[in-house]
Amino acid sequence: MEPEKQVGRSTGKGILIALLCSFFFSWQSPITKLLMREHVSSIDCVTMLFLFGAVLVNLITLSSPRRKEIYRDCIRCSKALVPMALMNFFVSVGIFYALRTLSAGVVSVLLYMSPAYVCIFFMITKIKPVSRLNKVAVLLSIGGCCLALNVFNTPLAELSVSGILFGLLACVAFGSYQLVADLKLPGDLQQLSIITVGLTVGGIVGSIINPSMYIRLPQLSPLALGLFLLSVVMTKIVPLLLEVRAISIIGSERASVILSMEVPWTLLLAYFTLGETMLPSQLAGVGLVVLSVILLQKK
């Protein structure tokens, strides 16, 4: 097979993995909203998500015949994996606190300002070239986010400033996670090592800052416990594995924009599970985000 065809197939595979990752990620906001309807606080949502995830992923790792190699990789690459774990934790903090005052669709849009953050980072540092198409896609993403927030038709006093700030915190943490994964992780690192450190560190941090969660844990309803387990698998373990794989194939700047397909996925899920809707102008903003994805795929 010719090298050009091999590269093309590899890129197509990376795009497909990133799109699949975006679908799994899109379940996070709707599931979190359902947990809040079960009277679970934002900080408890974050802490329990990582705690459940840490227990589950370590059980998976311990049952693996390569467990020694996996934990050895965790130690060997800890200088990159621990910061990534902290960034992943703050992504969830930003999302869960933003969801207190913003809809699931809008929070998803804010999260996917991360392409702008990633591309601006490369523009400033010049570590990687950023094409004109990348820049156009970033501008479309920014414009789409503004429309989705309805900033042009909503008085400043009525905007949820705290929700927007927490959404932007999630955005910066998400973009930083992708940058570290792209630039610092060795190519031979096992993906299970990344997830093990990420969820374990998050579970430890959450337990330190929110120890009273253990008192409330036995009081959770069976539905809330089921939602936590579903969220761990669908929004943490599976998509994180897919995300790292996609970044290793197509790079963080392209993956971050393709992952913004989470936005329309979230809108659909929020509509069917939560009954959330958007104004036509907000849907137009989502369309701009989708258009930025299409432009990037034509690179």
Side-chain angles (χ1 to χ4, degrees):
M1 184 179 295
E2 297 178 3
E4 291 81 1
K5 292 184 179 180
Q6 291 179 335
V7 171
R9 289 190 177 182
S10 178
T11 300
K13 179 182 178 181
I15 291 172
L16 181 61
I17 292 173
L19 288 172
L20 184 60
C21 177
S22 71
F23 173 74
F24 281 104
F25 267 137
S26 68
W27 283 89
Q28 182 162 254
S29 293
I31 291 176
T32 302
K33 281 283 192 179
L34 292 174
L35 282 169
M36 290 179 176
R37 290 182 179 180
E38 290 294 304
H39 308 292
V40 182
S41 68
S42 297
I43 189 60
D44 281 353
C45 283
V46 176
T47 306
M48 292 181 189
L49 178 62
F50 279 92
L51 181 64
F52 280 42
V55 172
L56 182 58
V57 77
N58 277 281
L59 287 175
I60 295 173
T61 301
L62 288 170
S63 64
S64 171
R66 305 179 67 180
R67 55 185 175 274
K68 291 184 179 179
E69 182 180 348
I70 292 170
Y71 282 118
R72 192 180 301 117
D73 281 346
C74 292
I75 298 172
R76 175 172 65 92
C77 300
S78 59
K79 289 185 178 180
L81 292 178
V82 171
M84 286 176 61
L86 294 174
M87 294 165 192
N88 189 27
F89 182 82
F90 282 106
V91 169
S92 293
V93 169
I95 290 174
F96 289 17
Y97 274 89
L99 285 169
R100 294 186 303 175
T101 56
L102 299 175
S103 69
V106 169
V107 171
S108 180
V109 169
L110 274 173
L111 179 63
Y112 283 94
M113 288 288 286
S114 59
Y117 172 78
V118 170
C119 287
I120 289 172
F121 173 85
F122 284 128
M123 287 169 61
I124 294 173
T125 62
K126 302 188 185 301
I127 294 175
K128 284 188 175 183
V130 178
S131 70
R132 291 182 180 178
L133 199 56
N134 284 118
K135 296 173 184 176
V136 170
V138 166
L139 291 175
L140 289 175
S141 295
I142 294 173
C145 287
C146 291
L147 286 174
L149 284 167
N150 204 24
V151 296
F152 303 113
N153 299 314
T154 304
L156 183 61
E158 296 181 14
L159 287 174
S160 174
V161 176
S162 64
I164 293 173
L165 289 176
F166 276 116
L168 291 176
L169 169 65
C171 159
V172 171
F174 188 39
S176 299
Y177 178 95
Q178 294 170 327
L179 285 170
V180 175
D182 189 11
L183 301 175
K184 298 296 183 181
L185 290 186
D188 62 341
L189 181 63
Q190 298 184 73
Q191 292 175 312
L192 194 53
S193 299
I194 301 171
I195 310 304
T196 300
V197 174
L199 294 178
T200 301
V201 171
I204 293 172
V205 172
S207 298
I208 292 173
I209 66 177
N210 185 31
S212 60
M213 175 231 24
Y214 288 98
I215 300 175
R216 294 184 289 275
L217 183 58
Q219 302 171 2
L220 290 177
S221 66
L223 176 58
L225 289 171
L227 288 171
F228 273 120
L229 290 174
L230 180 66
S231 185
V232 166
V233 175
M234 292 195 65
T235 73
K236 287 297 179 187
I237 294 177
V238 172
L240 285 174
L241 287 170
L242 294 173
E243 181 185 10
V244 172
R245 179 59 176 163
I247 289 173
S248 69
I249 297 174
I250 59 177
S252 61
E253 66 276 18
R254 297 192 72 190
S256 64
V257 179
I258 295 172
L259 287 172
S260 65
M261 282 297 293
E262 178 187 337
V263 177
W265 290 128
T266 299
L267 289 177
L268 287 173
L269 292 172
Y271 174 78
F272 286 110
T273 62
L274 305 171
E276 290 185 1
T277 58
M278 278 189 162
L279 298 172
S281 59
Q282 292 176 297
L283 291 174
V286 174
L288 288 179
V289 175
V290 175
L291 180 58
S292 71
V293 176
I294 296 173
L295 283 177
L296 200 67
Q297 289 180 355
K298 289 181 178 297
K299 180 179 177 181

